[in-house]
Amino acid sequence: MYILNKYFCKITVISFKIFSESVYSYKGEKQRKIILTVEQIRDQHFLMVLWGAGAAWCPQLQRKKDHIWEFKYLLAQRSSISGDIELHTTPWSSCECLFDDDKRAVEFKEKFQKSEKSLMKMTNLSTHLEEKCSGEINKIYKQCLSCLPFNKVRKFYRPALMTAEDKGCEICIQVVSELMEKIFLNIPADWLNRFIVPPSDTTYGMIVADLCHSLLTDTEASYLLDVRSHFVLDENSYPLQQDFFLLDFHPDL
C-alpha cells in the first residue's frame, strides 16, 4: 500500500453506494463509506472510496462531476476481491476542484486527450529492477503506521550526502533524516517556518540556514563522527565499492 502525494483525475461517475463499515474504523468509530468512479486515463476507470470525513465531499463532487479534481494523500491498495487498484481517502486527505484555466488542469487535459498509457505508475522495487527502467519513482510514499493516528502529515529532512575530510583523506558519508535533525540542533523540519519568539522575525529555518553555512565555511572546526563502512572487494582486495553511513554526530570534541 502506498500514500499518493497528489492525484489528478476527472470525476466521471458517482455511485451512490453508502455503507457504515465496522471493519474499517478510526479511533474506535465506524466509518461512513462512499464509492465513486474516477478516470485519470481515457476509458480507464478506478474506484475511489471516500471514508469518514471524506464522505462529506460527495455533494460537491456530484455538482462538479465533469471537472478536474486534485486529491492529496490517498491510500492506494489492491482490492482483496478484484485485485484492481483502489484509491482510499485517509485522515489527511484533501480535494480541490480546479478551474479550467488552472495550469494543473490544462496540463492534465493535454495528457488526458493524448490517452497516454499511464500518468500514474505504481510499482514495487523488484518489478522496477526487472524492467531496468531509468527514471524516478517520486511522490509515492509508504504509509508510516507509527505516525497514526495524527491528523496531519509530518515533514522530515531529506537524507543527505556529507563530505568529510581528515588529513587530506576525503570520503562521502550518507546521512539519514533522523541524524540531519540532530545536526540541526534537534529542530524538527515542521518548525522551520515558525518564529523563535513571536514578536521576532527570526525563524527556526534561519537558524538552520546559519548552521549549514557555518558547517560548510568553518574550515578550522573539527567534529567527531561515528561511521559504519561497507566495502566490496575483488579477488585482489581492490575496492569495487565503498559506502559510509553516519551513525552519530558529535559537534563538540
Side-chain angles (χ1 to χ4, degrees), residues 32 34 50-58 61 89-90 93:
R32 191 162 173 249
I34 294 179
L50 309 181
W51 291 99
W57 304 340
C58 191
L61 292 173
T89 59
T90 70
S93 298

Side-chain angles (χ1 to χ4, degrees), residues 7 23 27 67 78 94 96 120 132 175 180 191 221 245:
Y7 181 80
V23 295
K27 294 184 177 179
H67 287 65
R78 291 196 178 276
S94 63
E96 178 187 359
M120 175 193 70
K132 298 181 177 64
V175 187
M180 290 298 297
W191 289 16
F245 306 88

Side-chain angles (χ1 to χ4, degrees), residues 64 67-70 96-109:
K64 299 182 178 180
H67 287 65
I68 307 299
W69 289 78
E70 179 189 77
E96 178 187 359
C97 183
L98 305 181
F99 291 105
D100 290 339
D101 58 353
D102 189 295
K103 181 181 178 181
R104 295 167 294 176
V106 172
E107 291 177 351
F108 175 84
K109 287 178 182 177

Side-chain angles (χ1 to χ4, degrees), residues 229-240:
S229 59
H230 176 72
F231 291 87
V232 177
L233 308 177
D234 66 8
E235 59 274 10
N236 297 315
S237 297
Y238 181 83
L240 300 176

Side-chain angles (χ1 to χ4, degrees), residues 154-173:
R154 282 196 60 194
K155 295 180 180 178
F156 297 90
Y157 292 105
R158 289 180 180 273
L161 193 64
M162 173 192 292
T163 302
E165 185 269 341
D166 179 36
K167 297 179 181 178
C169 183
E170 185 177 288
I171 61 172
C172 292
I173 305 171

Side-chain angles (χ1 to χ4, degrees), residues 69-81:
W69 289 78
E70 179 189 77
F71 292 88
K72 292 184 179 180
Y73 308 118
L74 299 177
L75 178 66
Q77 63 180 13
R78 291 196 178 276
S79 169
S80 58
I81 299 175

